[in-house]
Amino acid sequence: MESVIVAIDGPSGTGKSSTSKAVAAKLGLSYLDTGAQYRAITWWMISNGVDVSDAGAIAAVAAKPVIVSGTDPSRPTITVDGVDASGPIRTEEVTSRVSAVSAVPEVRALITELQRTIARGAEHGIVVEGRDIGTTVLPDADLKIFLTASPEARAARRSGELKGADVRATQEALVKRDAADSSRKTSPLAKADDAVEVDTTDLTLDQVIECVVTLVDERRSRDAAQVEASE
Ligand SMILES: Nc1ncnc2c1ncn2[C@@H]1O[C@H](COP(=O)(O)OP(=O)(O)OP(=O)(O)O)[C@@H](O)[C@H]1O
Ligand SMILES: Nc1ccn([C@@H]2O[C@H](COP(=O)(O)O)[C@@H](O)[C@H]2O)c(=O)n1
């Protein structure tokens, strides 16, 4: 089977991680959670006393932390300077500050290069999920998907995860984070012109996974037919 690169972008809570992991596992591909990398660098900044409202201070030390992502979809990992960061990067403090850190151009340049290196090294192909994968990180991806869902559906999903969380507060927080990610100057959250948009509001997770697997299969069949025709 030919190697394939799939880019999955979209706002928070649209199902990028759940879908990407499942699709990668089903198709025998690697998986990269790029949000985890931005969270990891944010955690490092906070842990090292960097003022995350000061873009200059962030830029000055952005190259210091060594971030390593494991790309097995059944067991994705993330370490910072050799320390497992998978728990600390999911705290409320990191979630509320990550958009400020990810907006700093020096941070984006470093993380983008890291992401491209990982994608290039994936032997059988990879599913990479984030906000700017189709537009900036991997503009030549074989397939680009842009997941969407209503803010109400996304907040309900997240509140289910964070048991007992107030749905309205959750919705406000994710809409605020999307607004920050969409309005930054460098590589904002955006749908690539050639991405397929999938509105997941009324779909189950299994239906979304099936939809993306079908799109990958169609893409591979099209490529195979083209190769055959050219022989
Ligand atoms: N189609 C769906 N229907 C119902 N629940 C879903 C669906 N897709 C994902 N979920 C659930 O919604 C929650 C958020 O999904 P997920 O973490 O995959 O989203 P995300 O887009 O990666 O979010 P973020 O960008 O904030 O990391 C999870 O609990 C997941 O199980
Ligand atoms: N390609 C990306 C991916 C993520 N970000 C930033 O990281 C934040 C956390 O992402 P999650 O998917 O883990 O929620 C996100 O809000 C963005 O600020 C990014 O900039 N580019």
Side-chain angles (χ1 to χ4, degrees):
M1 193 69 88
E2 283 295 304
S3 164
V4 67
I5 293 190
V6 181
I8 302 191
D9 290 301
S12 176
T14 49
K16 298 181 299 297
S17 300
S18 326
T19 305
S20 302
K21 262 187 273 190
V23 169
K26 274 193 176 207
L27 299 176
L29 306 176
S30 299
Y31 159 71
L32 179 61
D33 177 353
T34 64
Q37 297 175 319
Y38 286 104
R39 287 173 179 272
I41 196 165
T42 302
W43 176 59
W44 184 90
M45 296 284 166
I46 295 168
S47 306
N48 284 277
V50 179
D51 177 359
V52 295
S53 62
D54 180 345
I58 293 170
V61 294
K64 286 195 172 180
V66 177
I67 295 169
V68 177
S69 300
T71 59
D72 176 348
S74 65
R75 200 182 141 270
T77 55
I78 182 119
T79 62
V80 183
D81 297 336
V83 177
D84 177 12
S86 51
I89 63 168
R90 302 290 163 194
T91 60
E92 186 44 44
E93 186 176 23
V94 170
T95 302
S96 65
R97 296 177 190 273
V98 63
S99 294
V101 175
S102 71
V104 176
E106 289 79 358
V107 168
R108 298 208 73 79
L110 286 158
I111 301 274
T112 297
E113 203 37 53
L114 178 62
Q115 292 161 357
R116 289 180 178 150
T117 303
I118 293 169
R120 271 197 300 269
E123 195 185 346
H124 302 291
I126 191 164
V127 182
V128 184
E129 56 121 334
R131 304 290 191 288
D132 64 337
I133 310 306
T135 53
T136 304
V137 178
L138 301 168
D140 297 328
D142 299 296
L143 178 66
K144 299 179 188 178
I145 312 274
F146 194 80
L147 297 183
T148 62
S150 70
E152 291 76 14
R154 296 189 284 129
R157 292 173 188 172
R158 277 267 172 261
S159 306
E161 251 177 8
L162 317 165
K163 298 195 177 19
D166 177 78
V167 185
R168 198 151 62 169
T170 304
Q171 185 172 326
E172 276 170 16
L174 64 83
V175 167
K176 189 174 160 202
R177 185 148 63 97
D178 290 344
D181 292 340
S182 306
S183 61
R184 67 175 172 239
K185 281 211 178 88
T186 310
S187 201
L189 158 66
K191 176 184 169 297
D193 291 340
D194 53 350
V196 180
E197 183 164 334
V198 180
D199 183 346
T200 71
T201 306
D202 298 315
L203 300 179
T204 65
L205 178 56
D206 282 346
Q207 286 172 322
V208 181
I209 294 164
E210 204 42 53
C211 169
V212 175
V213 168
T214 303
L215 288 167
V216 176
D217 287 345
E218 283 173 0
R219 173 68 214 222
R220 279 175 151 165
S221 306
R222 224 175 31 242
D223 287 352
Q226 270 171 6
V227 170
E228 219 172 81
S230 70
E231 281 170 356

